[in-house]
Amino acid sequence: MENKIQSFLQALGKPLVVFFMRLGNLTMFIGQSLYHCITPPFYFKLLGRQFLDIGFYSLPVVGLTTVFAGMVIALQSYTGFARFGAESAVASVVLISVTRELAPVLSGLMVAGRIGAAMAAEIGTMRVTEQIDALRTLSTNPFKYLVAPRIIAGIIVLPLLVFIGDVIGIFGGYVIGVYKLGFNPANYINSTLQNMETLDIVSGLVKAAVFGFIITLMGCYNGYRSRGGAQGVGEATTNAVVSASILILIFNYIITELFFAN
Amino acid sequence: MSETKIKITGLRKAFGKKVVLNGVDLDVEKGESLVVIGGSGTGKSVLIKCIQGLLQPDGGSIQIDGEETVGVNEREQNRLHSKMGMLFQGGALFDSLRVWENVAFGLIENQKMPRKEARTEAVRVLRQVGLAPDVADLYPSELSGGMQKRVSLARAIATKPEIIFFDEPTTGLDPIMADVINDLIIESVKGLGATALTITHDMASARKIADRIAMLYQGKIIWQGTVKELDKTENEYVRQFINGSSQGPIKVEI
């Protein structure tokens, strides 16, 4: 009996130790990353490149995702609300769901796939080909040179992307509302503007900033810790995208709760 | 008596249960070229990574110019790194940067040299390792293996370091190119008056560039001496290694 308990505890203990080791590693990684984000020297040229990579080149993806999200919400809410005779609420439903949820979450997930994977692959390859060691032997801190520009860019760029996504998503709803469902354009716009509240948009942008941090952090962390050649880099890439996506969904709930559940 | 540049005593490093370095004692004199030989997976790379502070040793001491380097903070570490240059086994060139930016990296980032000046200097060093100036604007992926080694060597010596590490400098090159790299290593080390620490299992290369040779086996330095002494040694481990025989006291785990 005693032996059984012992082996049970052992079986439980090992994953637990590994879990806390990982958690500790991640915490230290976050600490170091943030420290190097706020202390000079800053690499503005590298920051610029990240703005372009994360922001500008993600525009088509974010635009497409949000325009269709806005369109489908308009259509769904119209047909769904017809049961209660509440079709007139379409404009405000589109507004609220796009700004609070759809634009930040969908953009976050899309950018996680696009950017998180690319970052993990790039930094992972640099790790396994000893380029990160080479940086250090040239007296350059890899956190400062590789991680900080990506995280700073992620935190700043994602809200901008999501703001653009808000506009495009609402426009998508408008197009369906006016051209398919037969709303009067002026009424639709009026109803959108009247129901617009700062908190809806701000909460979405705060989410975006947090998601930007999560995506870039997971990309850098998994890349930085990758081991063992091409296979290791592949694993890092997968882990970066999966962990970022899950964390986005978890933090989406937490932030919503903080903002709206009084 | 010349002074000791690097003094290693009782250096230990293990990864999990696998003990890689088990009490390494090794001195490198100023201005000498020491080559550490040893089989694959005997911890040669771990040894130089510990000396450079890229890996944290579990125990022991490493002194450079009489200063302890184990467990120093990041600023100290950076100051130490500015004394060192390293030629990585795979080159480890930054593939997002052009050749000249690679060579000038330490000059720009560490010595804060203006870019224009750094470029001129990079082209000069590239010529020194036998590369034409038009290579400077290419990316590393556009170069052959031998050329990448040369660029990597140029990057290692561009900052005029006091200590240069060479990690398997001739691995993956044909014998002629390997000899060219050996000559370049000798030239650049002598030219700078630097101290060189090389790890390799290429005996031809070791004989050529070494003032002194040390052999690492099972986490310890089991033999050291000059190239002349190497040929006369009675040490069976060393004899087996330099003769490249599968028969002898060193058992290869398959």
Side-chain angles (χ1 to χ4, degrees):
Chain A
M1 187 62 198
E2 197 142 289
N3 261 349
K4 265 189 183 163
I5 293 174
Q6 203 174 2
S7 63
F8 172 74
L9 286 178
Q10 271 172 355
L12 198 71
K14 203 175 174 197
L16 216 61
V17 169
V18 170
F19 173 76
F20 279 110
M21 241 166 67
R22 295 243 169 100
L23 201 65
N25 278 331
L26 179 62
T27 313
M28 271 164 63
F29 190 91
I30 294 174
Q32 252 179 315
S33 303
L34 291 180
Y35 172 79
H36 286 289
C37 280
I38 53 172
T39 49
F42 300 106
Y43 292 94
F44 291 107
K45 206 178 145 193
L46 296 174
L47 191 61
R49 205 196 106 193
Q50 294 305 325
F51 275 129
L52 212 63
D53 269 357
I54 307 175
F56 188 70
Y57 293 123
S58 294
L59 274 175
V61 179
V62 169
L64 270 176
T65 330
T66 48
V67 77
F68 278 103
M71 283 160 67
V72 84
I73 281 295
L75 197 56
Q76 286 280 28
S77 53
Y78 183 80
T79 51
F81 288 2
R83 291 178 202 160
F84 324 107
E87 299 97 321
S88 56
V90 167
S92 32
V93 170
V94 168
L95 174 76
I96 291 175
S97 46
V98 166
T99 53
R100 283 190 183 187
E101 281 297 317
L102 293 174
V105 173
L106 292 179
S107 306
L109 293 175
M110 294 310 281
V111 175
R114 224 184 77 82
I115 295 301
M119 276 180 189
E122 186 178 352
I123 296 181
T125 307
M126 290 187 75
R127 163 62 78 195
V128 299
T129 56
E130 297 187 307
Q131 291 180 50
I132 290 183
D133 285 340
L135 271 181
R136 289 181 60 191
T137 62
L138 293 162
S139 314
T140 303
N141 189 305
F143 279 91
K144 196 135 265 168
Y145 190 82
L146 295 173
V147 180
R150 285 171 168 80
I151 289 183
I152 294 172
I155 295 175
I156 297 175
V157 160
L158 255 272
L160 294 175
L161 272 178
V162 166
F163 186 75
I164 296 168
D166 284 348
V167 175
I168 296 175
I170 292 168
F171 173 74
Y174 168 85
V175 167
I176 294 300
V178 170
Y179 295 100
K180 190 168 171 68
L181 308 174
F183 282 92
N184 176 301
N187 283 349
Y188 190 97
I189 293 174
N190 257 340
S191 146
T192 302
L193 292 178
Q194 270 167 15
N195 290 304
M196 193 174 291
E197 282 190 32
T198 323
L199 192 62
D200 294 337
I201 294 167
V202 168
S203 72
L205 298 185
V206 169
K207 281 180 181 179
V210 174
F211 297 166
F213 176 69
I214 290 173
I215 294 165
T216 47
L217 178 75
M218 283 299 122
C220 294
Y221 174 74
N222 284 293
Y224 200 83
R225 296 191 53 77
S226 60
R227 292 281 179 278
Q231 197 189 357
V233 176
E235 262 169 44
T237 312
T238 312
N239 287 342
V241 177
V242 172
S243 57
S245 304
I246 292 172
L247 286 174
I248 283 175
L249 295 174
I250 295 173
F251 275 88
N252 179 46
Y253 180 80
I254 295 174
I255 299 168
T256 308
E257 171 121 13
L258 289 177
F259 267 102
F260 298 110
N262 297 310
Chain B
M1 197 50 206
S2 55
E3 53 187 304
T4 307
K5 190 77 181 170
I6 307 172
K7 186 173 181 60
I8 304 166
T9 34
L11 188 66
R12 283 184 293 107
K13 175 77 188 170
F15 295 98
K17 280 181 186 145
K18 191 172 183 292
V19 179
V20 180
L21 300 179
N22 190 16
V24 171
D25 298 306
L26 190 63
D27 288 0
V28 188
E29 303 292 313
K30 189 173 182 185
E32 85 167 333
S33 170
L34 178 79
V35 173
V36 177
I37 57 172
S40 312
T42 48
K44 301 191 299 292
S45 292
V46 175
L47 174 65
I48 56 172
K49 284 193 175 162
C50 283
I51 301 172
Q52 294 189 86
L54 297 175
L55 284 174
Q56 185 75 31
D58 299 334
S61 139
I62 301 167
Q63 293 181 354
I64 293 178
D65 290 328
E67 282 178 82
E68 182 59 49
T69 68
V70 174
V72 296
N73 64 22
E74 202 189 302
R75 182 174 300 181
E76 280 295 293
Q77 194 74 256
N78 275 344
R79 201 174 56 77
L80 285 165
H81 278 147
S82 61
K83 285 188 190 182
M84 305 177 190
M86 163 105 173
L87 172 63
F88 284 87
Q89 187 175 351
L93 295 170
F94 305 126
D95 35 34
S96 58
L97 300 179
R98 292 176 193 282
V99 164
W100 79 265
E101 289 172 313
N102 265 285
V103 176
F105 196 92
L107 299 173
I108 295 172
E109 297 300 336
N110 194 23
Q111 300 182 3
K112 308 292 171 212
M113 191 185 275
R115 281 178 74 82
K116 213 169 175 183
E117 210 177 305
R119 196 197 142 96
T120 317
E121 178 64 13
V123 170
R124 195 187 65 76
V125 182
L126 281 170
R127 188 172 289 135
Q128 205 179 318
V129 297
L131 289 173
D134 55 339
V135 173
D137 284 316
L138 298 176
Y139 284 95
S141 57
E142 299 172 280
L143 304 179
S144 70
M147 284 164 98
Q148 287 186 5
K149 272 270 153 78
R150 287 181 197 228
V151 175
S152 195
L153 176 63
R155 184 176 69 183
I157 61 175
T159 52
K160 301 193 169 61
E162 296 169 26
I163 306 169
I164 313 179
F165 298 93
F166 300 98
D167 185 354
E168 312 259 0
T170 55
T171 302
L173 300 177
D174 69 72
I176 298 170
M177 183 56 84
D179 203 48
V180 171
I181 295 289
N182 286 336
D183 284 333
L184 284 173
I185 288 175
I186 295 169
E187 251 174 61
S188 35
V189 170
K190 291 282 177 292
L192 291 171
T195 307
L197 180 59
T198 308
I199 55 174
T200 187
H201 47 234
D202 174 358
M203 284 313 299
S205 168
R207 282 170 198 281
K208 185 150 186 183
I209 61 182
D211 295 327
R212 220 151 52 80
I213 291 179
M215 176 149 168
L216 187 64
Y217 179 67
Q218 291 194 335
K220 285 194 169 73
I221 299 291
I222 56 161
W223 184 88
Q224 47 183 315
T226 60
V227 178
K228 258 187 199 153
E229 289 165 352
L230 181 75
D231 292 321
K232 282 186 262 171
T233 180
E234 298 287 316
N235 188 311
E236 285 176 56
Y237 293 90
V238 179
R239 292 189 63 81
Q240 185 192 350
F241 190 82
I242 61 177
N243 293 329
S245 164
S246 62
Q247 305 298 317
I250 303 176
K251 295 284 177 258
V252 180
E253 288 164 34
I254 301 167

